[in-house]
Amino acid sequence: MPPVSQVPPAHPPRTPSPAVRRRALHGIPEVACPQDLSIEAARFLSQALFGRLVELDEGTPEYAYVRNTLVELNLSLVKFAARRFRHRSEPAEDILQVGTIGLIKAINRFDPARGVDFSSFALPTITGEMKRFFRDTTWAVQVPRRLQELRLRLAGTRDRLGQELGRAPTTAELARCPRMTEAEVAEGERAANAYSARSLDLGEEDSGATGVARTLGAEDPSFDVIESLDSLKPLIAALTDRERAILSLRFGQELTQAEIGARVGLSQMHVSRVLAQIMERLRAGLLNDGPTA
């Protein structure tokens, strides 16, 4: 992955001509500021644009315009994913830019025919791109920028050859790639050793954990749950008493919709509609950048 400063912008510098936009949209309404749309409106328009993207030839100005519009419509997903990393030392702009790259990758890979919600499909890709950025920019030992970039180039080449060969490539095979010599491969592998610090313990138990490793803390997945709950608190507080009761019965006591209906005096279908509305409001609130979220 190239340094963030070298990553090309997500959008072209010039706006396509009106004729290109008309051909690209093919009857779909054009929106001047896609990022100003509500979550529901952006979701509805994205579905239409994904259907149009399938019909266009990749590499054409029309394809690029539709894809860039999809990026603008779904930038709230990048901002949502970036919130969990807000305490990192890396600049927020770099994290958002890397997340946008993940969003573009998700758009390129998304298949609307599968019937999967795009936000559910895109968020793991966006978050994964951010984590990869942290992994590639965090070094246990400070090394020159040239060696950092060499390690990244070597890692990318190794991944690509590994997929082509179906096994780990040899040093000689890596060196046959353009702009890579055996000396550079060896130097890049030495630089990779500085990326993660190894334990100073000489012995290891059967579990594979050294003495130092046993004293170090691991990332607790519960922190993600706590962050999500903290974000949900004001949204749940804005619900009505009946909506909170239904939510508690469904996810707290794990009752069925029919059992909930018997408790609150509603039909099973009515409970199903209420739950769907609640979940949509909570989802929109989490993705929204407004003061409530």
Side-chain angles (χ1 to χ4, degrees):
M1 180 178 169
V4 173
S5 58
Q6 298 179 14
V7 175
H11 314 296
R14 291 181 298 178
T15 304
S17 66
V20 169
R21 300 200 301 270
R22 283 195 300 271
R23 290 196 301 270
L25 296 175
H26 196 61
I28 300 174
E30 181 177 356
V31 179
C33 298
Q35 296 185 49
D36 292 341
L37 292 179
S38 66
I39 297 294
E40 188 58 35
R43 183 182 180 185
F44 180 80
L45 184 56
S46 293
Q47 291 175 348
L49 289 176
F50 273 119
R52 181 61 180 147
L53 197 66
V54 174
E55 301 170 351
L56 296 170
D57 294 327
E58 188 172 354
T60 61
E62 292 80 7
Y63 183 95
Y65 174 71
V66 171
R67 189 183 69 169
N68 287 326
T69 303
L70 281 167
V71 171
E72 292 188 70
L73 283 170
N74 293 280
L75 279 176
S76 61
L77 295 174
V78 178
K79 296 175 183 177
F80 172 70
R83 286 177 188 158
R84 64 178 298 187
F85 305 117
R86 59 185 177 273
H87 300 304
R88 300 281 307 205
S89 59
E90 289 80 359
E93 290 185 1
D94 288 357
I95 298 175
L96 290 173
Q97 190 170 357
V98 169
T100 303
I101 295 172
L103 174 61
I104 294 173
K105 289 182 177 180
I107 291 173
N108 290 340
R109 299 169 183 168
F110 183 64
D111 182 4
R114 294 185 176 181
V116 178
D117 182 64
F118 176 68
S119 61
S120 301
F121 174 84
L123 277 172
T125 303
I126 295 170
T127 304
E129 200 69 27
M130 291 176 178
K131 289 181 177 179
R132 191 174 299 110
F133 166 66
F134 298 136
R135 181 196 68 193
D136 293 342
T137 55
T138 304
W139 290 76
V141 179
Q142 187 59 40
V143 299
R145 181 70 180 183
R146 179 184 66 83
L147 293 180
Q148 295 184 29
E149 294 178 353
L150 177 60
R151 188 194 75 87
L152 292 177
R153 194 164 78 244
L154 178 62
T157 303
R158 182 180 284 109
D159 289 344
R160 179 172 56 80
L161 283 179
Q163 292 177 356
E164 293 176 359
L165 300 173
R167 56 173 174 79
T170 64
T171 300
E173 289 169 336
L174 289 169
R176 284 198 291 268
C177 293
R179 301 183 298 113
M180 190 83 71
T181 65
E182 286 198 25
E184 287 179 324
V185 171
E187 192 175 25
E189 290 175 342
R190 288 195 298 271
N193 291 333
Y195 175 72
S196 59
R198 296 181 181 273
S199 169
L200 297 179
D201 286 350
L202 298 178
E204 292 187 5
E205 298 180 359
D206 294 338
S207 63
T210 64
V212 170
R214 288 193 300 270
T215 64
L216 298 177
E219 182 177 350
D220 191 340
S222 300
F223 284 123
D224 289 341
V225 177
I226 293 173
E227 285 190 2
S228 299
L229 290 175
D230 190 57
S231 299
L232 280 171
K233 281 182 181 178
L235 302 175
I236 294 177
L239 299 175
T240 64
D241 292 340
R242 189 181 71 172
E243 288 172 336
R244 283 197 297 272
I246 292 176
L247 201 63
S248 175
L249 292 172
R250 179 66 185 91
F251 298 102
Q253 301 184 32
E254 298 184 351
L255 300 184
T256 65
Q257 293 179 359
E259 291 171 337
I260 295 172
R263 289 277 191 95
V264 299
L266 298 174
S267 66
Q268 184 270 330
M269 291 186 62
H270 195 167
V271 171
S272 176
R273 286 196 297 268
V274 171
L275 280 171
Q277 293 168 1
I278 293 173
M279 299 308 296
E280 180 59 30
R281 285 167 59 188
L282 294 179
R283 173 185 173 277
L286 286 174
L287 295 179
N288 187 16
D289 272 344
T292 301

